[in-house]
Amino acid sequence: MAVSPAAYAAPAQIPAGPIHYGADYNPEQWDPAVWREDIDLMRRAGVTMVSIGIWSWARIEPRPGQFDFSRFDEVLGLLNEAGIAVDLATPTAAPPAWFYRQHPEARLIEADGTIRQGGSRGICCPHSPAYAEAAARITEAIAAHVKDHPAIAMWHVHNEYGAPGGDCHCEVSQQAFRAWLRHRYGTLAALNTAWGTDFWGQLYGSWEEIGTPRHSGTALNPLCELDYARFTSDSLLARFTAERDIIRRYDAASPITTNLMATNCPANDYWRWAEQMDVVSTDYYLEAADPDAHIWLAMESDLTRSLAGGKPWVLMEHSVSAVSWQPHNWAKLPGEERRNALAHVARGADAILAFQWRQSRRGAEKFHSAMVPHAGTDTRVFREVCELGAQLQDLAELRDSVVNARVALLWDWNSFWAQDLAWRPSVLMRHRDQLRTVYRWLWERGTVVDLVHPESNLDAYDVVIAPASYLLSEAAGNNLAAFVHRGGRFAALPFFAVVDDDECVHAGGAPGPMREVLGLTVAEIRPVRQGDTVTLTPVQPQAGVVHTAMPTTLGSSRYLTAHTWSEDLRLEGAEAVWTAVDGPTPGPVVTMNRYGKGVAVYVSMLMDRDVLAEILEPLLDPPSDRPEVDGGIPAPKLEAVTRHGANTNFVILINHDDVDHRVDVAGTDLLTRETADSFTVSAGGVRVVRTVRTNGD
Ligand code: GAL
């Protein structure tokens, strides 16, 4: 049972216009003379929208309750005259120094008792009444001041809730946690049962005895930790909705968002957050040194689109070149920023904004790239910024077109939080690695995926894969069973459906509510010695009913290898399709079970991407979303995504390879206006081909 915020009806969408282009704009750092040059350069670069005000609290409210909007008004006026839309932030991610001085009790206390001081940025205690009051006051002052201002097109509440974390352990937070638990469990007896407090004699006799999970002798109560993660997400979400509701009283029309961090925010359950936002926006920074960085970018985009329910979304921040907070900050190569930006567009973004407009000369982020670099406009960065701005204007007709995926990956923060708790069978079983292994295989085969909550409607999908669903509720099990029963193809990776929503092992063991669907029970988890590999061999399929479009068997090679983790499977209807011939658990490793009109596959060991790809490949029919390339030769680095418009489709082709590729897609490239039956996508190049829609597309 979750404590749900009130239902919220999202009233607005991304502001009308082209694919928006812009950045965080921080004029507070500059003299007014620079602002005028900024506006000229923004026009030159094709900027259509900027986020302002994010770090402006101390300027707007220099003393408690005293407001000064003079500089702010001037900036708003300049942007309005230039026709640049404003995404106006509330500045509550950086309370002024006077606030910390006046309210030392509002400082966040970490699990080990460390007090987080001011002098940097980030929310203080999210439960602090003083912070709530001050945040409401500045939000209301701004909303009232700009009411009906024609420049305001969107609202940007706070900045990256949860970064750095919002998990506070002060006395007020302890009380808030208890109140949240009372709401969730109703009675102390229910809490004691759910938390299993008879283990290690943790039984609670009164609510006041319960504390947030701090440092203790050894492993903490796991459901206490999981509930605390849920509570923290809800607490931060409550801060967002409080500001949103104040803004809504003054502005009935403009969409309100807050910038999420897609997969990179461990603090928040964004499925619950997205329901409370008019428009979903996210920030994404490349893992620049990773040669697969563009694949992880795609995963973030797919997750963001999925959070937005398939609707277009906003890339609120990214870097046009290097960041300054990774250990060794690679600058982007020529053309890389264009590929990155258009990859976000391909996967549903209707706005591309950067951090930040003008590179700072002072402060912590002066080495972070920006649209206008320290060295000015005669730079590679600024030239590419202008080229991209012009190209985004050429893509205006993509606005509001959507991506249709037929394959879904299960994604649930509750499961990730739970899987990451202490004392699991192996620290080498990492949910992020499992997700990445599966995602990378699908990206390289050209299959576009959605990421879905396990309890969500799965009607749109042919195939559902659970790369890392350690926690699976009874309701999710029923949902997946219904999906398979009506003809869906389902695959789960190991350590699947082990616990329920209360972090309690399913009665009878894993895979709990999916035992009948998968046709097996996990009798024992048996990790493989680190560094060892286990040999797998295929089993000949048994005779049986073969359903149309269902694989008769999986994989074809003689021998494959797996590693790290194994499970002793007790088959209860499933057929073994791959077995281990050595290692700690000789016997079935990959199984297949026909259930209703569908099929459910279980993979009980960890495997490298190529092995997993070979084993699961037969599940994936239809083939990839990539058109034919080079007459049918595999092109795993040619990204191809289709956005579906009302009457036309747009095939976005991004070549991450260092050789050219010829792609069979007929239409008009919106970037060059060439019309052809097929296009060469040069090494590192991009094409956006408007195709004529045929029936069924
Ligand atoms: C984000 C943050 C921005 C800026 C950026 C680049 O996390 O929201 O304000 O700091 O990172 O480092």
Side-chain angles (χ1 to χ4, degrees), residues 24 55 121 159-160 259 283 285 317 325 355 365 368:
D24 281 11
W55 311 111
R121 66 171 176 187
N159 190 66
E160 294 186 342
N259 46 342
D283 298 350
Y285 291 91
E317 288 182 24
W325 38 263
F355 173 84
E365 300 211 76
H368 191 291

Side-chain angles (χ1 to χ4, degrees), residues 387-432:
E387 280 162 25
L388 178 60
Q391 294 194 335
L392 288 173
Q393 281 170 10
D394 290 340
L395 300 184
E397 59 190 285
L398 266 72
R399 271 295 304 259
D400 300 320
S401 56
V402 297
V403 175
N404 297 330
R406 308 288 298 276
V407 176
L409 304 186
L410 299 188
W411 184 284
D412 179 8
W413 275 272
N414 278 270
S415 187
F416 303 157
W417 288 329
Q419 185 170 336
D420 283 355
L421 294 173
W423 290 12
R424 299 320 191 200
S426 169
V427 294
L428 303 176
M429 165 60 82
R430 290 182 283 254
H431 74 261
R432 204 169 176 82

